[in-house]
Amino acid sequence: MLPFGGFIDKLRFSADNEDYSQQRHCGWQILGLGSGTVTSSSSVSVEVQVTPEQIRFADYNYLVVFGCRSARHAQQMAPSYKALLKQAASNGVTLVTIDNACFMLAETGLLKGNQVSVHWRHAQEFMTAYPDIEVRTEQLYCIDKKRISCSGGSAAIDLAIELLTRHCGRTRAMKGLADMIIDKPRGQLHRLESLDNETNAGRHVSRAIGLMRDLFAERKTTDELATMIGISRRQLDRLFKDEFSKTAHDYWHEMRLQHLHWRLVNSNHSLTILAEEIGIQDTSYLCKVFRKRFGQSPATLRHSNK
């Protein structure tokens, strides 16, 4: 609901001369496959205003698709939305995906030859499922011809500002930011400080954690990680022990296991594929350490969460 509400509210502020919520300078409608309401995972229901039979896609610039509860759900919804998405695209409408909605478009084949911005939590999952699509994890949003993607969250507001700038001018696009308690928009290449600085342990540890996340699938050693940061392995371990009471290797190992746990619950990919995502080839060894950490096998966890 955060990206949905933020995106719509930015349109609302820019659409009117004052703050009367009138759609003077831009307009939008909530489109659904059928009439009624759609209930979000946070139990908030949104009313569908129009169905595909009631609109002319040629009258619209964009079709914005917001993500589902999980990437897997977005993929499962693809067959239901495929005809709608293709109809919009064939009428020249630019398709916009927010958060994991990019999985839906990729599943329908509508992202072939395009670059895509993916939420950092879903990046490895997306690259595993669609290795031929170029992923831009360093971008809040990506505008690539008639396909636009946004990583989600508050970045949807930044994307709305960019689209409004293109059609209504910068002044109108910036209108209402103070009301939304936003200082300034972020460009598509903005790097999240919160992603690089998850702790107050200092720049070396923060940099190490960022690299650990980026290098999930690569078989890098902790010694190589320390070299990339510019300090010794011993110094890196000391910093991690001071902050987390564990070595850098153990921290990275736990991060990988937590990623595997999340993917087992939220995807249908085989254990072999998921093992490759975290840089481990031996699935027997992986099952052993997983059971030791979580008290159950990967198969048991997945079965219990179906």
Side-chain angles (χ1 to χ4, degrees):
M1 292 305 294
L2 170 60
F4 176 78
F7 190 91
I8 294 295
D9 217 30
K10 183 77 243 357
L11 297 183
R12 181 182 70 84
F13 274 112
S14 295
D16 203 357
N17 294 325
E18 298 296 337
D19 188 15
Y20 299 127
S21 300
Q22 296 181 4
Q23 298 183 25
R24 296 178 180 274
H25 303 286
C26 63
W28 59 93
Q29 290 182 297
I30 308 302
L31 171 67
L33 294 181
S35 59
T37 60
V38 177
T39 302
S40 71
S41 58
S42 57
S43 299
V44 176
S45 294
V46 178
E47 183 179 0
V48 172
Q49 296 174 324
V50 292
T51 60
E53 299 77 19
Q54 298 172 313
I55 64 172
R56 272 188 359 115
F57 280 112
D59 295 334
Y60 295 84
N61 297 108
Y62 303 98
L63 173 61
V64 184
V65 187
F66 292 86
C68 301
R69 172 63 182 84
S70 67
R72 178 172 58 185
H73 189 202
Q75 291 170 312
Q76 293 170 342
M77 296 291 285
S80 299
Y81 283 87
K82 186 175 182 177
L84 168 66
L85 295 169
K86 287 195 169 184
Q87 182 185 358
S90 65
N91 279 275
V93 178
T94 297
L95 302 181
V96 183
T97 63
I98 308 292
D99 199 359
N100 62 38
C102 58
F103 284 81
M104 181 187 293
L105 249 66
E107 194 70 15
T108 61
L110 289 167
L111 284 180
K112 289 182 178 179
N114 293 101
Q115 299 177 346
V116 59
S117 174
V118 181
H119 190 289
W120 64 267
R121 184 179 290 279
H122 297 297
Q124 195 62 54
E125 182 178 5
F126 189 92
M127 289 185 286
T128 297
Y130 312 104
D132 295 330
I133 299 177
E134 185 177 353
V135 174
R136 307 305 299 266
T137 57
E138 76 282 6
Q139 296 184 192
L140 294 182
Y141 56 87
C142 178
I143 299 177
D144 187 9
K145 301 183 284 292
K146 303 293 284 186
R147 302 290 183 269
I148 299 175
S149 51
C150 175
S151 56
S154 61
I157 299 174
D158 301 297
L159 174 58
I161 292 171
E162 176 61 28
L163 298 182
L164 286 163
T165 298
R166 295 185 174 206
H167 293 277
C168 303
R170 190 65 172 175
T171 299
R172 181 157 297 284
M174 298 286 283
K175 181 178 177 292
L177 288 188
D179 298 89
M180 299 177 74
I181 318 298
I182 296 175
D183 283 328
K184 58 183 179 181
R186 300 168 296 182
Q188 63 178 341
L189 296 178
H190 177 84
R191 177 70 182 180
L192 287 179
E193 294 181 7
S194 57
L195 195 57
D196 287 335
N197 298 287
E198 293 181 334
T199 75
N200 296 317
R203 62 186 180 90
H204 290 317
V205 171
S206 295
R207 175 61 175 156
I209 293 174
L211 285 171
M212 287 174 180
R213 187 185 300 108
D214 293 339
L215 300 173
F216 257 160
E218 298 188 29
R219 296 172 180 86
K220 296 286 187 181
T221 66
T222 311
D223 289 290
E224 290 175 301
L225 185 68
T227 299
M228 294 172 70
I229 298 170
I231 60 178
S232 68
R233 164 69 181 274
R234 177 177 293 184
Q235 183 180 0
L236 184 62
D237 277 337
R238 179 178 59 80
L239 292 172
F240 268 80
K241 284 182 177 179
D242 288 344
E243 181 66 21
F244 305 109
S245 299
K246 62 179 65 176
T247 64
H249 174 272
D250 290 342
Y251 185 95
W252 203 356
H253 184 67
E254 174 68 13
M255 181 186 287
R256 281 173 160 141
L257 289 179
Q258 291 292 345
H259 175 81
L260 176 61
H261 188 286
W262 189 86
R263 292 282 280 118
L264 284 166
V265 173
N266 292 283
S267 82
N268 294 320
H269 290 130
S270 69
L271 184 61
T272 300
I273 290 177
L274 299 186
E276 291 176 355
E277 283 190 12
I278 59 175
I280 296 177
Q281 291 179 309
D282 189 342
T283 55
S284 296
Y285 165 75
L286 182 57
C287 287
K288 181 179 178 180
V289 296
F290 188 90
R291 182 187 293 274
K292 181 178 179 181
R293 170 63 181 84
F294 296 107
Q296 59 184 329
S297 69
T300 301
L301 172 68
R302 173 165 276 175
H303 180 74
S304 65
N305 284 274
K306 284 186 176 180

